[in-house]
Amino acid sequence: MKVTMKDIAKEAGVSVATVSHVINGTKNITEPKRSKVLEIIEKYHYVPNSTAKNLRTQSTKTAAMVVSSFTDSFVNGMIYGVEQKAREMGYSLLLVNTNEDEEYEKKSINLLYSKMVDGIILSPTSNDINYLNDFTESMPIVLVNRYNPVVKNAPRVTGDNFRVGYDATSHLIQHGHRNIGVIYAVPNVSTTEGRLAGYRQALEENGIMYDEEHLELGYATVEGGAKAAETLLKKEKDITALFIQNDLMTIGVISKLKELGLKIPENIALIGFGDSPSAAITAPPITNMVLPPQQIGAKAFESLSKLINGETHVENIELPASMVVRKSCGCE
Amino acid sequence: MKVTMKDIAKEAGVSVATVSHVINGTKNITEPKRSKVLEIIEKYHYVPNSTAKNLRTQSTKTAAMVVSSFTDSFVNGMIYGVEQKAREMGYSLLLVNTNEDEEYEKKSINLLYSKMVDGIILSPTSNDINYLNDFTESMPIVLVNRYNPVVKNAPRVTGDNFRVGYDATSHLIQHGHRNIGVIYAVPNVSTTEGRLAGYRQALEENGIMYDEEHLELGYATVEGGAKAAETLLKKEKDITALFIQNDLMTIGVISKLKELGLKIPENIALIGFGDSPSAAITAPPITNMVLPPQQIGAKAFESLSKLINGETHVENIELPASMVVRKSCGCE
DNA sequence: TCCTAGTGGTTAATCGTTTAACCTGATAAT
DNA sequence: ATTATCAGGTTAAACGATTAACCACTAGGA
């Protein structure tokens, strides 16, 4: 049998209230009793049942983070950031992986809603998150990375994806490229859309016609990248530069280009996204656009804790993008 | 205010017990009442408070997985395997990252012990896990990947690490190497020890003297790998092959070898560990020893659920190793 | 001496469910 | 007609903590 507070109280010859008070320091308990209680607790390795505590206090000191993938290094960075901050603030973290499955995402949010957690950090699978409005009034939710302005009462923390697309494209244009292809992974999410808007704007400012045929969608895997590169380059033979929005895909693209006998950056210049360690080590090293995932995660948890503590309006946060120049863009 | 079962009962004109029975199907409730209840539930978006349910049923349908890192791709694979299986069996998963911090691991287990979860899957930080014996009697725990036989009542599921070390070493020896260096990341854990034992055995069977100086410890990062390679090769100039036990380190080793002007596999042959997608894409592609992380994870959850369901003795499981031959070992 | 204030400790209500035990009618069996 | 069986539904006791309200006692002040 599991030992409860009642057992401790009985053995120490005090009431359960007293035991509770010595554990939580909610009232001054004088010496003979106090240490007796502590001693019995020690003796039985007693640890309070948090299920009961949760029910009584209506709080679990647990937050959930719902992400669409575990294998993505950017997502991993965000998780790390949230983890750190949560730990720092005395929270546990319930991680849920939706695997880019919208239905599973809804189900998970519903499950989480049953008071198992004090709040949710969500990186949505798609743009289609109207359903969240059923929850945001009674459950603290913050959106991270991806978002959709239709959701009310849920602050967001994101990266400056417009800038990611804009700077990458501008950089390539400055190096003389005018036919720039884009390989991307997830349609209909704010991140992709932001980057494409930046791409478009950069083209426009330089008097280059936007051509939808220069965009290629693929799966966010090594093979997906290789395949996307192949079909795009077969279709659009004048492309001289590629902006690839996912680091796994970049690896696939590189291998495909080698296979096709195309030299990087001489025949095709490359700019990738993310800061996975392999970027510096491939041949050639890849120039990347980067957003700070850990920071995004940390800020997200901060926002969430504000919400949990009853702050009524928490503002949106957008973190800046930067560029790590290596060899693949033909700079040096 | 949050709506409770009592509210539903009142509005439907029945008792809370009836509401509970229609929700859980624990008793036959006849038509007029039944649909009335359902209707009210729908109307208020009522969802049962699982905290209360947990307290009453003494079960949370939640398992925890405690790992030492999120950035490691092998660990990621295991998480994925556990996740899948848990979902399949109707469990939620609470993920805890100890960051290779022993103290934090202990604290986490203690926290988890307070009945927040039905069971724990642990990949321990170190070999020093005697403390677990305080828990294994009253909390289902299964060890995954790393283990220590001092822990009683906790079944384990692991990979055949002896074979990993043995096969890698034998393979290199068959290709004529006699001075084989080892770069590894975490001392005093069963995985490392198993692989080193295999390494040693392979040497012995081929009449090669074991030399402790051929082993080099480093951090499990790209830089850690580079650094380890540098100091090892400076110290032991006769080394012609390297067995590297971590995929991030492998990337670092490759870049360092390039920097030193050493060709792979001509000057130094390489065998790595893991199956991260970049292995196929580096120059040259890396020959790897592999263990199936998803399978390990899935099996671990199966064992855990047996434990949770009261099965008293669950046997240990060891999954086989395999080898993916590519260019870095000089085979082709 | 009497009153007030403060301190240490206990009693009992409460959080929102589940579920064993009980009750009430109706139906079936004798 | 009497009893046994059964099915649908309710009552109330848990589950294990927290905490407001209360009580008894001591000490200090007037």
Side-chain angles (χ1 to χ4, degrees), chain A residues 41-164:
Chain A
I41 286 178
E42 185 63 26
K43 175 176 167 195
Y44 289 104
H45 289 106
Y46 166 73
V47 15
N49 178 322
S50 58
T51 299
K53 182 174 186 156
N54 292 345
L55 175 58
R56 179 61 231 240
T57 62
Q58 301 283 78
S59 128
T60 60
K61 282 286 178 186
T62 302
M65 179 163 187
V66 179
V67 299
S68 49
S69 158
F70 273 178
T71 49
D72 187 84
S73 71
F74 190 80
V75 172
N76 253 283
M78 292 196 299
I79 293 176
Y80 191 77
V82 171
E83 242 275 330
Q84 294 287 96
K85 208 49 159 189
R87 180 189 300 195
E88 193 182 311
M89 301 179 93
Y91 276 75
S92 304
L93 194 63
L94 186 65
L95 275 175
V96 179
N97 178 10
T98 67
N99 258 311
E100 304 282 2
D101 176 342
E102 277 187 58
E103 274 317 303
Y104 190 73
E105 177 181 308
K106 278 189 206 176
K107 272 189 213 158
S108 301
I109 300 281
N110 254 294
L111 186 65
L112 260 14
Y113 182 64
S114 44
K115 269 260 173 267
M116 269 178 36
V117 295
D118 295 348
I120 299 173
I121 293 177
L122 169 65
S123 174
T125 287
S126 81
N127 232 349
D128 191 14
I129 47 178
N130 269 288
Y131 78 92
L132 279 180
N133 283 313
D134 285 352
F135 300 109
T136 48
E137 273 182 35
S138 40
M139 165 74 87
I141 297 183
V142 358
L143 295 174
V144 73
N145 200 27
R146 303 176 185 171
Y147 71 95
N148 182 337
V150 299
V151 179
K152 293 303 172 196
N153 301 318
R156 62 177 183 253
V157 9
T158 57
D160 187 346
N161 284 293
F162 180 88
R163 207 84 209 165
V164 166

Side-chain angles (χ1 to χ4, degrees), chain B residues 80-114:
Chain B
Y80 191 77
V82 172
E83 241 276 328
Q84 293 288 94
K85 209 47 158 190
R87 180 189 300 194
E88 191 183 313
M89 302 179 91
Y91 276 75
S92 305
L93 193 63
L94 184 65
L95 273 175
V96 180
N97 177 10
T98 67
N99 257 310
E100 304 282 2
D101 176 341
E102 278 187 56
E103 275 316 304
Y104 190 71
E105 177 181 310
K106 279 189 204 174
K107 272 188 216 160
S108 301
I109 299 283
N110 254 294
L111 185 66
L112 258 17
Y113 181 64
S114 43

Side-chain angles (χ1 to χ4, degrees), chain B residues 62-322:
Chain B
T62 302
M65 178 165 190
V66 179
V67 299
S68 49
S69 158
F70 273 179
T71 48
D72 187 85
S73 71
F74 189 80
V75 172
N76 253 284
M78 292 196 299
I79 292 176
Y80 191 77
V82 172
E83 241 276 328
Q84 293 288 94
K85 209 47 158 190
R87 180 189 300 194
E88 191 183 313
M89 302 179 91
Y91 276 75
S92 305
L93 193 63
L94 184 65
L95 273 175
V96 180
N97 177 10
T98 67
N99 257 310
E100 304 282 2
D101 176 341
E102 278 187 56
E103 275 316 304
Y104 190 71
E105 177 181 310
K106 279 189 204 174
K107 272 188 216 160
S108 301
I109 299 283
N110 254 294
L111 185 66
L112 258 17
Y113 181 64
S114 43
K115 270 259 175 265
M116 267 176 39
V117 295
D118 296 348
I120 299 174
I121 293 178
L122 170 65
S123 174
T125 287
S126 81
N127 232 348
D128 191 14
I129 47 177
N130 269 289
Y131 76 94
L132 279 181
N133 283 313
D134 286 352
F135 300 110
T136 47
E137 273 182 36
S138 39
M139 164 74 86
I141 297 183
V142 358
L143 295 175
V144 72
N145 200 29
R146 302 175 184 173
Y147 72 96
N148 183 337
V150 299
V151 179
K152 294 300 171 199
N153 301 317
R156 61 176 182 254
V157 9
T158 57
D160 189 346
N161 284 293
F162 180 89
R163 207 86 209 161
V164 166
Y166 182 86
D167 287 358
T169 311
S170 301
H171 188 86
L172 290 169
I173 292 174
Q174 276 161 33
H175 284 74
H177 298 280
R178 299 188 63 86
N179 288 295
I180 303 171
V182 178
I183 291 177
Y184 66 106
V186 194
N188 303 319
V189 297
S190 62
T191 47
T192 300
E193 283 173 1
R195 291 175 206 167
L196 290 180
Y199 165 78
R200 216 165 156 162
Q201 169 94 6
L203 291 182
E204 200 168 299
E205 288 181 5
N206 288 278
I208 303 175
M209 266 274 285
Y210 168 76
D211 180 357
E212 209 177 43
E213 293 297 315
H214 281 35
L215 311 187
E216 188 69 30
L217 176 64
Y219 290 106
T221 60
V222 175
E223 304 75 40
K227 202 169 160 190
E230 183 165 35
T231 65
L232 180 58
L233 293 177
K234 190 164 292 177
K235 193 174 63 171
E236 305 288 324
K237 301 206 187 281
D238 48 1
I239 283 178
T240 61
L242 246 27
F243 169 37
I244 310 153
Q245 303 203 6
N246 175 283
D247 54 354
L248 287 180
M249 294 180 94
T250 302
I251 293 176
V253 170
I254 292 180
S255 78
K256 176 57 70 179
L257 294 183
K258 278 186 191 167
E259 191 187 314
L260 295 174
L262 294 168
K263 288 215 150 71
I264 308 166
E266 291 82 357
N267 305 125
I268 301 266
L270 244 51
I271 294 187
F273 174 79
D275 59 349
S276 86
S278 55
I281 242 63
T282 46
I286 305 162
T287 293
N288 270 341
M289 293 306 303
V290 357
L291 251 23
Q294 292 95 330
Q295 263 190 60
I296 292 181
K299 289 283 179 199
F301 192 84
E302 279 174 15
S303 293
L304 185 66
S305 86
K306 285 182 188 171
L307 242 37
I308 291 174
N309 292 328
E311 286 191 34
T312 161
H313 199 58
V314 179
E315 81 285 0
N316 297 324
I317 299 177
E318 186 178 71
L319 281 79
S322 59

